Each structure stands twice: as C-alpha cells, then as structure tokens.
Amino acid sequence: MAEIKKVGVIGAGVMGAGIAAHITNAGVPVVLLDIVPEGAENRDALAEDAVKKLLKADPAAFMHKRNAKLITTGNIEDHLDRVADCDWIIEAVIEKVEAKHAIYGKIDAVRKPGSIVSSNTSTIPLAVLCEGMPGGFARDFLITHFFNPPRYMRLLELVAGEKTRADAVQAVRRFADVALGKGVVECKDTPGFIANRIGIYWLQCGVLEAMEAGLTVEEADLVCGRPMGIPKTGVFGLLDLVGLDLMPHVLGSLAGALPETDAFHAVRREPELIRKMIADGYTGRKGKGGFYRLDTSSGKRVKEAIDLETGAYHPAQKPRLDSVEAARKGGLRALMEHPDKGGRYAWRVMARTLGYAAHLAPEIAGDIVAVDEAMRLGFNWKSGPFQLIDQLGAAWFAEKLKTDGLPVPDLLETVGAGTFYRTDEGRPQHLTFDGGYADVRRATGVLLLSDVKLRSQPLARNASASLWDIGDGVVCLEFHTKMNALDLGTLAMVGKAVDIVADGYQALVIYNEGSNFSAGANLGLMLFAANLAAWPMIEDMLVRGQDAYKALKYAPFPVVGAPAGMALGGGCEILLHCDAVQAHAEFYVGLVETGVGVVPAWGGCKEMLVRWSASPLRPRGFMPPVIKVFETVGTATVARSAPEARDLLYLAADDGITMNRDRLLADAKARALDLVDGYTPPEPPEISLPGPAARVALTMVLYGLRKLGKATPHDEVVAKVLAGVLSGDGTDVTESLTEDDLLALERRAFMELVRHPATIARIEHMLDTGKPLRN
C-alpha cells in the first residue's frame, strides 16, 4: 500500500482551503491551486488569499500557525505540474460536472502513475464523475467527502467505484483515519451519500413543520436540539451556520439526481421568506444575519430572531415547553408523546426523518452502523437514527407510524419487537439487513473504554470516578462527573488507583470518553464552602489534591494522561504530574484559575516553574522562567491545540499526539507499557527563585496594564499574590525551595484569595453563566 507523503488540492475555496490546512495539521505538505482571476496582476491571488484567510480564521483552521508554511500556492494554468509528485490529489472545485471533468483531464495529463485522485463533491455520484474518463483514471479515482470545517468535523464519506483499486481505497482510508483523525464511513454510490441525504431531509422537515405548526425559531431549535441529543443550534441555528444561500443549490442537486418516488421531493420547497432573506443578504452568520442576528444599533450586542410569519426581527426569547421538561426526565419518547406543540413538532419531524433513514439504509450504506456514524460525525448528533429508534422502542415507533398513516420501512418490520443494537457476551452487535446480528467492527488500533465496560466490571468505583482493567496489566482511571469536574470523590479514586496498580498491575492511564477530559475543580463545592466560611474545608481539599497528585507523580509505576477536549485548572494540573501525556490533537489546556480570582494550588505553579526552569529554550537567568509562568498563568492562557500546548510546555517535547480520538486510549496504553521496563519515579525537584525583587518587577508590569485599562482592580490583586508564589515570596536565589515549600506557597496564596469578595463574585458568575467576570 502506497504511503501518502504529499497532497495536492485543486480549488482554494472554503472547503479546498480548509482541507489543505487540515492536511498540514498532520505534518504533510500540500500544493494548493486555483484558477487565475480575470484581469488579476497576481495570477496566484486566489490560493494566496485563501491561506491568509486561513491564518485569520476563528475557529482556527491550523493547529499551529507554522503549518501554513507547508502549503505551496499557485494557479492551475501555470503550476498544475506541481501536483506531479503528489500521492493524493483532491478536487474541490465548483459542483458542476462539466467543470470537474475538465479539471480531471488536466490532472490526468500530469499526475504520476499510481497517484490517487478524489473529488470532494457533496452530492454528485461517482459514476457520473467518471463518465468518459480513461480506465486508468477510474481505477485511481474515488470520492472523499469532507465536512466543513475540515479540522473540526470528523466525518469523511468515502465512495469507491466498481473499478477503483482496493489499495487506493485502503491508502486513503488509513491516511484519513490515522493522520487526519477522521471517522471514515464507506458509502454506496448514491446522490448525497449518507449524511447529507438524511441530514438535508431532516433540515427541510424541521423548517417546513415549524412554519406549518406556528412555532417560533427559538421553540423549534429548543425542541430539535438537546432533547434529541442534537447540538443546541437545532435546525434554524444550523442553517445560519451552514449558510442559507447554499441550501437552494444542494436541494436542486439532490432533486435532479433522486428518483421521482423519493420522499425528498415532498419536502423540497423553498418558502418565500427564505427566498427573500437570501435576496436581501440575510444568508446566515456569513451575511447580515439569518434566522438569528446580532443587533448592535443600541451599542450592545442583542441577539434577535426572525418571525417566520412576518419576517420581522425581535429580541430572541428563551421559550419554555412542557414537552422539553418532560424529555429531561423521561427521554426522547416522553418528548414525542407529549401533547403540546413541542411534542407534536418533535414527532412530525423525527417520525419522517427516522422513517426516511430506515427506508434508505440498505440503499445508501453497507450497514446501519455506517448510517449512525455518518449522522453522529457529520451533523454532531449524539445518537444516530437507529440508536434513536432503539431509545424510542422499534415496535412503539412502527406502531405509531401506522397509527399516523405513515409508511413503515421494511427494516422496522425486520427488527420487530427487538433492537437494532445489542450486546452479546460482552460484544456490541448490530442488526444486519437480512435480519441477523453481526459484531460492530473496530479498526485495528482502536480501543474504546465503552467496549471494555460491556465485557467487564470496574476494579473500583464511586460517584465521581472508576478504575478499569484495560488489559496487559494496565488500569484506566476514568472521571465521570458533570464536565468531569474534580471533587473529593475523584481525589479519593486517585489514591485508590495508586494502591490497586501498585498491588498487581504495571501502569495507569488517565482517560475518559466524555466531551472534555476535565473542566477542573468543582467550583460549586468551593462556593458552598466559601459561603459558609468553611475555610478549613477548602484548605483540606487543597491538601488532598496536592497529596493525590504527588502520589501519582511518585508512584512506583508509570502514569500516562490521555486527554481530549478541555483540560482546565485542576484537569491541567493532573496532567502536569503524569510521567507522560498522549494527547488528542484537539486538546484545549490551561491553568485558568486566575479567571475566577484564585491561583493554581494543586501543584500547577510548581510544575510549570520546574518545566520552564529546565527548558533549553529559555534565556539564562532566574527571571525568565518566572516571567514566562507569570504570563501564562496570570493571563489564564489556554492552548487551542496539542501543538500549541507543546509551545507553552503544558506538553513536554516527548509527549505524544494522536489525531484520531478513537485511537487515543490504545496509543496511551502503548506509551504506558513502553515506560514499564526499568521504570523509576522522578527525583523530587529543588528550585531557586529570585525573591522580592522579582515580585516587584512582575507587579509593575501589571500596574502598567491596569493604567492601559487591560487589567481590572481584582486582576491586580490576584496578580500580586501570584507574583509572590512564583518569585518564592521572601526567599532569594541563594536558597533552594523544595516541592513541599512551593506547594505551601500555593495553598497560602489560594486561601488568601478565596476569601476575597471579588473572587466569590467571579466564582458565582462563572457557575451562573459559564463565562469569566471582569471585576
């Protein structure tokens, strides 16, 4: 199987440029070409401007800005020969068959033998794209449909033709999975493939049913959001994000390709309101606004929503529906059975969507797992269509479809009173199209904790955390509180983990499959204690955290952290005490305690001082490490990717990065086992700090920021206390501070700040809004 070492992307629009950027995130060089703009002095302007936009994008397209240097720009007329040495060439031009055929001919004339060519088309079947192309081209050709934005949307739909060689499919699948972190779903060669075929139908149903039922956009998004396990953008918020002006093109493409009997045609309507919005420039977030907009005419940012009947905007409301309340307690079925307008709307939209998915599945996919995976990864649904039907009960769903006069798909007749998914002897299985069951396949190198749980019991468990045997003498410590916030139960399980692993296992991995590794210490518990003036309780929690993290650091076995998503505050600190970290590439980490008016006190300041003092990158002297940690911690700097975390020393130079989250646990386990032979715990550090002079210097920096209006009064209070910790308080460079000395400084500083009324206000505001208060 050929290795993909260089990639060409033809088309530097939003998708092509985004694909190019994400390929550089894997460390692979890219050639990015586009047409020559008419009358342009700079013939490479489109590709060059695309890279400039990528560097300014928010959210960032590059995991590190230096990755932009891996892109070579040019134009198709002058530089097509630059793709001659590319192993994979991706076409991402306009969705017109004629334009694609024209570029394929040019690519085929310059590409090297055995190179792979693919299209990023979102709707056009492969058979149509290959019409009239030479046999050699067809053997090297497939569809690779990325979702936007390519860095963040995990789905890659892969379509191979009858003539596509198997090793080309395998090479792209492997590269997309391991190097790009994609969930690769193989689709049959049908219009819209899987995710768009179902997702566009769902969006259309959501819009039309809301208009017909008289729901507001806020009510519709409330129902078609979190109660269904769908992002809170719901239907109308998602259309704003995608762009209303894109929808007519997608609808037209699908309508032209699908047979007249397809249920899609019944919902292929463009309401007059949407036509007018597009004509007036209200195309969503990229335009003047969409179904929602931000009104700044009053000097404030006021979120507004459109009235679906009149087209007028009004301040967005936070509706309350009894059906949504019922769903919080009773789940999806309680939502759909509820008689209010939200319940009726939920049923009308999802009855049609889930029925459509069940009807289409054998036509568009190899199994139901592919359908569910496509909707989870492509539209960020928490559960795919067949998983949702299982939540409802397949027999209940089929009976209700009959009662409402809606068609019952054959698959629902096949499953009967059973379920689409089941567990058999600890193995997850799915219903096949012929009515049997088959094991859910995992790619080689994938280890999921959810699978481990199906076949085993925890070694230990409390309400906050659990320990699991993941094989080969390795134990996994899993957090499972809300947001994986760390509390006394978590800390107790850390201590139990040290005891259990030391008594018969080889290594420990800290990992979970939540959206975030850990949002840090439980602020609610902290606020409760502060409001009671239970200061000894808070100090006890600090001591327990410090002791637990030291126990990990000096355990007689290797400890590997395996974070994904956010690792903030105490979640960052636990990683700083691990022997090694194997991080998911989408890793957002930082010591953010100053944002709520305190300082890191579970060893974060200590560990960052030790890291920066030992860094070969720092200038000589005692002050540079202190200044660097003061800047990072004092501004609550958060790395927005694993490569950025390495720059900030939240990750060490030899820590690993995994692109595909499904591979993270296996990679972390392998890293832990690599450390076992000859393992010895680290030596306790001693460090010299510059003392009072450094504290004064750091405080002067903050004073300047205060005068410029970039720091608040309480920022200055917190910074002075932080400066005391980092400078060593009353010590000087002739003295060595032990680890316990530094921990004592952290505790004292924390306890001083947590008593401050402004800190209490910040904690309350964070818990109420999820946002920091600048006071």
PDB file of all heavy atoms in Angstrom, residues 615-649:
ATOM      1  N   SER A 615      13.836  24.131  30.809  1.00  0.00           N
ATOM      2  CA  SER A 615      13.687  24.199  29.351  1.00  0.00           C
ATOM      3  C   SER A 615      14.947  24.736  28.682  1.00  0.00           C
ATOM      4  O   SER A 615      15.459  25.795  29.065  1.00  0.00           O
ATOM      5  CB  SER A 615      12.503  25.096  28.986  1.00  0.00           C
ATOM      6  OG  SER A 615      12.464  25.307  27.586  1.00  0.00           O
ATOM      7  N   PRO A 616      15.438  24.047  27.663  1.00  0.00           N
ATOM      8  CA  PRO A 616      16.607  24.554  26.935  1.00  0.00           C
ATOM      9  C   PRO A 616      16.263  25.768  26.067  1.00  0.00           C
ATOM     10  O   PRO A 616      17.149  26.440  25.553  1.00  0.00           O
ATOM     11  CB  PRO A 616      17.015  23.351  26.067  1.00  0.00           C
ATOM     12  CG  PRO A 616      15.754  22.565  25.895  1.00  0.00           C
ATOM     13  CD  PRO A 616      14.974  22.739  27.156  1.00  0.00           C
ATOM     14  N   LEU A 617      14.963  26.059  25.917  1.00  0.00           N
ATOM     15  CA  LEU A 617      14.541  27.160  25.056  1.00  0.00           C
ATOM     16  C   LEU A 617      14.600  28.510  25.752  1.00  0.00           C
ATOM     17  O   LEU A 617      14.571  29.558  25.105  1.00  0.00           O
ATOM     18  CB  LEU A 617      13.102  26.916  24.572  1.00  0.00           C
ATOM     19  CG  LEU A 617      12.861  25.617  23.807  1.00  0.00           C
ATOM     20  CD1 LEU A 617      11.364  25.472  23.504  1.00  0.00           C
ATOM     21  CD2 LEU A 617      13.671  25.593  22.524  1.00  0.00           C
ATOM     22  N   ARG A 618      14.668  28.504  27.096  1.00  0.00           N
ATOM     23  CA  ARG A 618      14.572  29.766  27.817  1.00  0.00           C
ATOM     24  C   ARG A 618      15.931  30.465  27.856  1.00  0.00           C
ATOM     25  O   ARG A 618      16.993  29.829  27.826  1.00  0.00           O
ATOM     26  CB  ARG A 618      14.076  29.518  29.236  1.00  0.00           C
ATOM     27  CG  ARG A 618      15.102  28.823  30.142  1.00  0.00           C
ATOM     28  CD  ARG A 618      14.649  28.831  31.594  1.00  0.00           C
ATOM     29  NE  ARG A 618      15.613  28.150  32.468  1.00  0.00           N
ATOM     30  CZ  ARG A 618      16.639  28.755  33.029  1.00  0.00           C
ATOM     31  NH1 ARG A 618      16.867  30.038  32.771  1.00  0.00           N
ATOM     32  NH2 ARG A 618      17.463  28.084  33.831  1.00  0.00           N
ATOM     33  N   PRO A 619      15.910  31.815  27.996  1.00  0.00           N
ATOM     34  CA  PRO A 619      17.171  32.538  28.217  1.00  0.00           C
ATOM     35  C   PRO A 619      17.750  32.182  29.584  1.00  0.00           C
ATOM     36  O   PRO A 619      17.043  31.710  30.470  1.00  0.00           O
ATOM     37  CB  PRO A 619      16.729  34.010  28.167  1.00  0.00           C
ATOM     38  CG  PRO A 619      15.406  34.009  27.487  1.00  0.00           C
ATOM     39  CD  PRO A 619      14.767  32.699  27.815  1.00  0.00           C
ATOM     40  N   ARG A 620      19.020  32.436  29.760  1.00  0.00           N
ATOM     41  CA  ARG A 620      19.676  32.135  31.033  1.00  0.00           C
ATOM     42  C   ARG A 620      19.194  33.087  32.130  1.00  0.00           C
ATOM     43  O   ARG A 620      18.725  34.185  31.860  1.00  0.00           O
ATOM     44  CB  ARG A 620      21.194  32.240  30.884  1.00  0.00           C
ATOM     45  CG  ARG A 620      21.795  31.135  30.029  1.00  0.00           C
ATOM     46  CD  ARG A 620      23.313  31.312  29.937  1.00  0.00           C
ATOM     47  NE  ARG A 620      23.911  30.214  29.205  1.00  0.00           N
ATOM     48  CZ  ARG A 620      24.281  29.064  29.758  1.00  0.00           C
ATOM     49  NH1 ARG A 620      24.106  28.884  31.050  1.00  0.00           N
ATOM     50  NH2 ARG A 620      24.825  28.110  29.029  1.00  0.00           N
ATOM     51  N   GLY A 621      19.345  32.658  33.369  1.00  0.00           N
ATOM     52  CA  GLY A 621      18.993  33.510  34.498  1.00  0.00           C
ATOM     53  C   GLY A 621      17.789  32.987  35.250  1.00  0.00           C
ATOM     54  O   GLY A 621      17.091  32.064  34.798  1.00  0.00           O
ATOM     55  N   PHE A 622      17.539  33.589  36.418  1.00  0.00           N
ATOM     56  CA  PHE A 622      16.441  33.138  37.267  1.00  0.00           C
ATOM     57  C   PHE A 622      15.093  33.749  36.874  1.00  0.00           C
ATOM     58  O   PHE A 622      14.049  33.181  37.149  1.00  0.00           O
ATOM     59  CB  PHE A 622      16.752  33.488  38.736  1.00  0.00           C
ATOM     60  CG  PHE A 622      17.901  32.726  39.304  1.00  0.00           C
ATOM     61  CD1 PHE A 622      19.158  33.307  39.417  1.00  0.00           C
ATOM     62  CD2 PHE A 622      17.740  31.410  39.723  1.00  0.00           C
ATOM     63  CE1 PHE A 622      20.227  32.595  39.942  1.00  0.00           C
ATOM     64  CE2 PHE A 622      18.794  30.689  40.246  1.00  0.00           C
ATOM     65  CZ  PHE A 622      20.038  31.284  40.355  1.00  0.00           C
ATOM     66  N   MET A 623      15.130  34.922  36.243  1.00  0.00           N
ATOM     67  CA  MET A 623      13.878  35.625  35.958  1.00  0.00           C
ATOM     68  C   MET A 623      13.070  35.051  34.779  1.00  0.00           C
ATOM     69  O   MET A 623      11.839  35.008  34.851  1.00  0.00           O
ATOM     70  CB  MET A 623      14.148  37.109  35.711  1.00  0.00           C
ATOM     71  CG  MET A 623      14.316  37.920  36.983  1.00  0.00           C
ATOM     72  SD  MET A 623      12.818  37.921  38.007  1.00  0.00           S
ATOM     73  CE  MET A 623      11.710  38.896  36.993  1.00  0.00           C
ATOM     74  N   PRO A 624      13.711  34.645  33.661  1.00  0.00           N
ATOM     75  CA  PRO A 624      12.912  34.221  32.511  1.00  0.00           C
ATOM     76  C   PRO A 624      11.870  33.138  32.802  1.00  0.00           C
ATOM     77  O   PRO A 624      10.718  33.266  32.344  1.00  0.00           O
ATOM     78  CB  PRO A 624      13.972  33.737  31.503  1.00  0.00           C
ATOM     79  CG  PRO A 624      15.158  34.572  31.819  1.00  0.00           C
ATOM     80  CD  PRO A 624      15.154  34.707  33.318  1.00  0.00           C
ATOM     81  N   PRO A 625      12.176  32.066  33.571  1.00  0.00           N
ATOM     82  CA  PRO A 625      11.122  31.093  33.849  1.00  0.00           C
ATOM     83  C   PRO A 625       9.965  31.697  34.640  1.00  0.00           C
ATOM     84  O   PRO A 625       8.793  31.391  34.379  1.00  0.00           O
ATOM     85  CB  PRO A 625      11.833  30.006  34.669  1.00  0.00           C
ATOM     86  CG  PRO A 625      13.272  30.185  34.396  1.00  0.00           C
ATOM     87  CD  PRO A 625      13.461  31.636  34.147  1.00  0.00           C
ATOM     88  N   VAL A 626      10.292  32.551  35.596  1.00  0.00           N
ATOM     89  CA  VAL A 626       9.263  33.174  36.415  1.00  0.00           C
ATOM     90  C   VAL A 626       8.369  34.067  35.559  1.00  0.00           C
ATOM     91  O   VAL A 626       7.133  34.054  35.679  1.00  0.00           O
ATOM     92  CB  VAL A 626       9.899  33.986  37.565  1.00  0.00           C
ATOM     93  CG1 VAL A 626       8.840  34.770  38.340  1.00  0.00           C
ATOM     94  CG2 VAL A 626      10.665  33.061  38.495  1.00  0.00           C
ATOM     95  N   ILE A 627       8.984  34.855  34.678  1.00  0.00           N
ATOM     96  CA  ILE A 627       8.212  35.748  33.805  1.00  0.00           C
ATOM     97  C   ILE A 627       7.294  34.936  32.887  1.00  0.00           C
ATOM     98  O   ILE A 627       6.122  35.270  32.693  1.00  0.00           O
ATOM     99  CB  ILE A 627       9.175  36.635  32.974  1.00  0.00           C
ATOM    100  CG1 ILE A 627       9.891  37.621  33.885  1.00  0.00           C
ATOM    101  CG2 ILE A 627       8.413  37.369  31.878  1.00  0.00           C
ATOM    102  CD1 ILE A 627      11.001  38.395  33.206  1.00  0.00           C
ATOM    103  N   LYS A 628       7.834  33.851  32.323  1.00  0.00           N
ATOM    104  CA  LYS A 628       7.039  33.054  31.391  1.00  0.00           C
ATOM    105  C   LYS A 628       5.831  32.427  32.090  1.00  0.00           C
ATOM    106  O   LYS A 628       4.708  32.441  31.562  1.00  0.00           O
ATOM    107  CB  LYS A 628       7.906  31.953  30.769  1.00  0.00           C
ATOM    108  CG  LYS A 628       7.240  31.245  29.593  1.00  0.00           C
ATOM    109  CD  LYS A 628       6.986  32.219  28.445  1.00  0.00           C
ATOM    110  CE  LYS A 628       6.209  31.575  27.318  1.00  0.00           C
ATOM    111  NZ  LYS A 628       5.923  32.520  26.228  1.00  0.00           N
ATOM    112  N   VAL A 629       6.035  31.882  33.276  1.00  0.00           N
ATOM    113  CA  VAL A 629       4.925  31.268  34.004  1.00  0.00           C
ATOM    114  C   VAL A 629       3.929  32.341  34.446  1.00  0.00           C
ATOM    115  O   VAL A 629       2.713  32.136  34.410  1.00  0.00           O
ATOM    116  CB  VAL A 629       5.427  30.448  35.204  1.00  0.00           C
ATOM    117  CG1 VAL A 629       4.256  29.850  35.976  1.00  0.00           C
ATOM    118  CG2 VAL A 629       6.361  29.334  34.731  1.00  0.00           C
ATOM    119  N   PHE A 630       4.438  33.499  34.854  1.00  0.00           N
ATOM    120  CA  PHE A 630       3.560  34.609  35.240  1.00  0.00           C
ATOM    121  C   PHE A 630       2.677  35.025  34.070  1.00  0.00           C
ATOM    122  O   PHE A 630       1.464  35.254  34.242  1.00  0.00           O
ATOM    123  CB  PHE A 630       4.401  35.794  35.714  1.00  0.00           C
ATOM    124  CG  PHE A 630       3.590  36.962  36.206  1.00  0.00           C
ATOM    125  CD1 PHE A 630       2.969  36.919  37.444  1.00  0.00           C
ATOM    126  CD2 PHE A 630       3.455  38.104  35.432  1.00  0.00           C
ATOM    127  CE1 PHE A 630       2.221  38.001  37.905  1.00  0.00           C
ATOM    128  CE2 PHE A 630       2.720  39.184  35.881  1.00  0.00           C
ATOM    129  CZ  PHE A 630       2.095  39.143  37.123  1.00  0.00           C
ATOM    130  N   GLU A 631       3.254  35.132  32.884  1.00  0.00           N
ATOM    131  CA  GLU A 631       2.469  35.495  31.696  1.00  0.00           C
ATOM    132  C   GLU A 631       1.403  34.444  31.394  1.00  0.00           C
ATOM    133  O   GLU A 631       0.241  34.763  31.133  1.00  0.00           O
ATOM    134  CB  GLU A 631       3.394  35.647  30.483  1.00  0.00           C
ATOM    135  CG  GLU A 631       4.311  36.851  30.515  1.00  0.00           C
ATOM    136  CD  GLU A 631       5.283  36.846  29.350  1.00  0.00           C
ATOM    137  OE1 GLU A 631       5.345  35.824  28.631  1.00  0.00           O
ATOM    138  OE2 GLU A 631       5.984  37.850  29.161  1.00  0.00           O
ATOM    139  N   THR A 632       1.802  33.178  31.433  1.00  0.00           N
ATOM    140  CA  THR A 632       0.900  32.098  31.044  1.00  0.00           C
ATOM    141  C   THR A 632      -0.226  31.909  32.050  1.00  0.00           C
ATOM    142  O   THR A 632      -1.401  31.839  31.688  1.00  0.00           O
ATOM    143  CB  THR A 632       1.686  30.784  30.885  1.00  0.00           C
ATOM    144  OG1 THR A 632       2.746  30.970  29.950  1.00  0.00           O
ATOM    145  CG2 THR A 632       0.787  29.665  30.388  1.00  0.00           C
ATOM    146  N   VAL A 633       0.149  31.844  33.330  1.00  0.00           N
ATOM    147  CA  VAL A 633      -0.845  31.600  34.375  1.00  0.00           C
ATOM    148  C   VAL A 633      -1.646  32.867  34.666  1.00  0.00           C
ATOM    149  O   VAL A 633      -2.868  32.818  34.845  1.00  0.00           O
ATOM    150  CB  VAL A 633      -0.179  31.064  35.652  1.00  0.00           C
ATOM    151  CG1 VAL A 633      -1.200  30.878  36.764  1.00  0.00           C
ATOM    152  CG2 VAL A 633       0.532  29.748  35.360  1.00  0.00           C
ATOM    153  N   GLY A 634      -0.961  34.013  34.709  1.00  0.00           N
ATOM    154  CA  GLY A 634      -1.631  35.264  35.042  1.00  0.00           C
ATOM    155  C   GLY A 634      -2.679  35.678  34.044  1.00  0.00           C
ATOM    156  O   GLY A 634      -3.673  36.316  34.405  1.00  0.00           O
ATOM    157  N   THR A 635      -2.490  35.326  32.778  1.00  0.00           N
ATOM    158  CA  THR A 635      -3.477  35.653  31.736  1.00  0.00           C
ATOM    159  C   THR A 635      -4.394  34.480  31.437  1.00  0.00           C
ATOM    160  O   THR A 635      -5.187  34.540  30.502  1.00  0.00           O
ATOM    161  CB  THR A 635      -2.765  36.076  30.442  1.00  0.00           C
ATOM    162  OG1 THR A 635      -1.895  35.017  30.005  1.00  0.00           O
ATOM    163  CG2 THR A 635      -1.954  37.345  30.645  1.00  0.00           C
ATOM    164  N   ALA A 636      -4.304  33.409  32.242  1.00  0.00           N
ATOM    165  CA  ALA A 636      -5.148  32.218  32.057  1.00  0.00           C
ATOM    166  C   ALA A 636      -5.086  31.735  30.607  1.00  0.00           C
ATOM    167  O   ALA A 636      -6.090  31.398  29.994  1.00  0.00           O
ATOM    168  CB  ALA A 636      -6.594  32.510  32.464  1.00  0.00           C
ATOM    169  N   THR A 637      -3.868  31.690  30.060  1.00  0.00           N
ATOM    170  CA  THR A 637      -3.679  31.308  28.657  1.00  0.00           C
ATOM    171  C   THR A 637      -4.061  29.854  28.431  1.00  0.00           C
ATOM    172  O   THR A 637      -3.623  28.959  29.156  1.00  0.00           O
ATOM    173  CB  THR A 637      -2.213  31.524  28.242  1.00  0.00           C
ATOM    174  OG1 THR A 637      -1.886  32.899  28.427  1.00  0.00           O
ATOM    175  CG2 THR A 637      -2.000  31.134  26.784  1.00  0.00           C
ATOM    176  N   VAL A 638      -4.883  29.634  27.400  1.00  0.00           N
ATOM    177  CA  VAL A 638      -5.327  28.286  27.044  1.00  0.00           C
ATOM    178  C   VAL A 638      -4.776  27.938  25.668  1.00  0.00           C
ATOM    179  O   VAL A 638      -4.972  28.686  24.705  1.00  0.00           O
ATOM    180  CB  VAL A 638      -6.861  28.181  27.038  1.00  0.00           C
ATOM    181  CG1 VAL A 638      -7.315  26.818  26.531  1.00  0.00           C
ATOM    182  CG2 VAL A 638      -7.419  28.431  28.445  1.00  0.00           C
ATOM    183  N   ALA A 639      -4.086  26.818  25.566  1.00  0.00           N
ATOM    184  CA  ALA A 639      -3.641  26.311  24.265  1.00  0.00           C
ATOM    185  C   ALA A 639      -4.856  25.789  23.512  1.00  0.00           C
ATOM    186  O   ALA A 639      -5.704  25.107  24.084  1.00  0.00           O
ATOM    187  CB  ALA A 639      -2.625  25.197  24.448  1.00  0.00           C
ATOM    188  N   ARG A 640      -4.958  26.106  22.231  1.00  0.00           N
ATOM    189  CA  ARG A 640      -6.105  25.719  21.417  1.00  0.00           C
ATOM    190  C   ARG A 640      -5.866  24.457  20.601  1.00  0.00           C
ATOM    191  O   ARG A 640      -6.680  24.099  19.756  1.00  0.00           O
ATOM    192  CB  ARG A 640      -6.491  26.864  20.480  1.00  0.00           C
ATOM    193  CG  ARG A 640      -6.838  28.151  21.211  1.00  0.00           C
ATOM    194  CD  ARG A 640      -8.089  28.008  22.035  1.00  0.00           C
ATOM    195  NE  ARG A 640      -8.398  29.228  22.793  1.00  0.00           N
ATOM    196  CZ  ARG A 640      -9.461  29.359  23.579  1.00  0.00           C
ATOM    197  NH1 ARG A 640     -10.290  28.340  23.725  1.00  0.00           N
ATOM    198  NH2 ARG A 640      -9.674  30.480  24.243  1.00  0.00           N
ATOM    199  N   SER A 641      -4.780  23.795  20.860  1.00  0.00           N
ATOM    200  CA  SER A 641      -4.480  22.529  20.189  1.00  0.00           C
ATOM    201  C   SER A 641      -3.312  21.889  20.918  1.00  0.00           C
ATOM    202  O   SER A 641      -2.607  22.552  21.698  1.00  0.00           O
ATOM    203  CB  SER A 641      -4.096  22.752  18.717  1.00  0.00           C
ATOM    204  OG  SER A 641      -2.852  23.430  18.628  1.00  0.00           O
ATOM    205  N   ALA A 642      -3.071  20.627  20.657  1.00  0.00           N
ATOM    206  CA  ALA A 642      -1.929  19.952  21.267  1.00  0.00           C
ATOM    207  C   ALA A 642      -0.592  20.573  20.836  1.00  0.00           C
ATOM    208  O   ALA A 642       0.298  20.743  21.678  1.00  0.00           O
ATOM    209  CB  ALA A 642      -1.976  18.459  20.957  1.00  0.00           C
ATOM    210  N   PRO A 643      -0.402  20.922  19.555  1.00  0.00           N
ATOM    211  CA  PRO A 643       0.858  21.580  19.194  1.00  0.00           C
ATOM    212  C   PRO A 643       1.073  22.903  19.932  1.00  0.00           C
ATOM    213  O   PRO A 643       2.196  23.223  20.333  1.00  0.00           O
ATOM    214  CB  PRO A 643       0.724  21.800  17.677  1.00  0.00           C
ATOM    215  CG  PRO A 643      -0.186  20.693  17.227  1.00  0.00           C
ATOM    216  CD  PRO A 643      -1.178  20.546  18.335  1.00  0.00           C
ATOM    217  N   GLU A 644       0.014  23.681  20.137  1.00  0.00           N
ATOM    218  CA  GLU A 644       0.154  24.917  20.911  1.00  0.00           C
ATOM    219  C   GLU A 644       0.496  24.603  22.365  1.00  0.00           C
ATOM    220  O   GLU A 644       1.260  25.330  23.005  1.00  0.00           O
ATOM    221  CB  GLU A 644      -1.130  25.746  20.838  1.00  0.00           C
ATOM    222  CG  GLU A 644      -1.335  26.475  19.526  1.00  0.00           C
ATOM    223  CD  GLU A 644      -2.494  27.446  19.579  1.00  0.00           C
ATOM    224  OE1 GLU A 644      -3.040  27.698  20.674  1.00  0.00           O
ATOM    225  OE2 GLU A 644      -2.874  27.962  18.513  1.00  0.00           O
ATOM    226  N   ALA A 645      -0.083  23.533  22.893  1.00  0.00           N
ATOM    227  CA  ALA A 645       0.207  23.130  24.275  1.00  0.00           C
ATOM    228  C   ALA A 645       1.678  22.813  24.456  1.00  0.00           C
ATOM    229  O   ALA A 645       2.266  23.062  25.515  1.00  0.00           O
ATOM    230  CB  ALA A 645      -0.652  21.928  24.655  1.00  0.00           C
ATOM    231  N   ARG A 646       2.289  22.280  23.429  1.00  0.00           N
ATOM    232  CA  ARG A 646       3.723  21.966  23.491  1.00  0.00           C
ATOM    233  C   ARG A 646       4.544  23.252  23.576  1.00  0.00           C
ATOM    234  O   ARG A 646       5.534  23.322  24.308  1.00  0.00           O
ATOM    235  CB  ARG A 646       4.113  21.127  22.272  1.00  0.00           C
ATOM    236  CG  ARG A 646       5.519  20.624  22.288  1.00  0.00           C
ATOM    237  CD  ARG A 646       5.712  19.558  21.237  1.00  0.00           C
ATOM    238  NE  ARG A 646       5.247  18.261  21.706  1.00  0.00           N
ATOM    239  CZ  ARG A 646       4.851  17.261  20.912  1.00  0.00           C
ATOM    240  NH1 ARG A 646       4.831  17.432  19.602  1.00  0.00           N
ATOM    241  NH2 ARG A 646       4.470  16.113  21.426  1.00  0.00           N
ATOM    242  N   ASP A 647       4.143  24.287  22.843  1.00  0.00           N
ATOM    243  CA  ASP A 647       4.847  25.567  22.901  1.00  0.00           C
ATOM    244  C   ASP A 647       4.816  26.152  24.308  1.00  0.00           C
ATOM    245  O   ASP A 647       5.771  26.788  24.753  1.00  0.00           O
ATOM    246  CB  ASP A 647       4.202  26.576  21.949  1.00  0.00           C
ATOM    247  CG  ASP A 647       4.549  26.321  20.496  1.00  0.00           C
ATOM    248  OD1 ASP A 647       5.368  25.414  20.227  1.00  0.00           O
ATOM    249  OD2 ASP A 647       4.005  27.012  19.629  1.00  0.00           O
ATOM    250  N   LEU A 648       3.689  25.969  24.998  1.00  0.00           N
ATOM    251  CA  LEU A 648       3.507  26.543  26.336  1.00  0.00           C
ATOM    252  C   LEU A 648       4.044  25.639  27.445  1.00  0.00           C
ATOM    253  O   LEU A 648       3.935  25.977  28.622  1.00  0.00           O
ATOM    254  CB  LEU A 648       2.024  26.825  26.570  1.00  0.00           C
ATOM    255  CG  LEU A 648       1.406  27.910  25.674  1.00  0.00           C
ATOM    256  CD1 LEU A 648      -0.113  27.903  25.798  1.00  0.00           C
ATOM    257  CD2 LEU A 648       1.951  29.284  26.042  1.00  0.00           C
ATOM    258  N   LEU A 649       4.593  24.485  27.065  1.00  0.00           N
ATOM    259  CA  LEU A 649       5.117  23.470  27.981  1.00  0.00           C
ATOM    260  C   LEU A 649       4.037  22.800  28.826  1.00  0.00           C
ATOM    261  O   LEU A 649       4.350  22.142  29.822  1.00  0.00           O
ATOM    262  CB  LEU A 649       6.219  24.023  28.887  1.00  0.00           C
ATOM    263  CG  LEU A 649       7.498  24.543  28.219  1.00  0.00           C
ATOM    264  CD1 LEU A 649       8.618  24.690  29.246  1.00  0.00           C
ATOM    265  CD2 LEU A 649       7.953  23.658  27.074  1.00  0.00           C
TER     266      LEU A 649
END
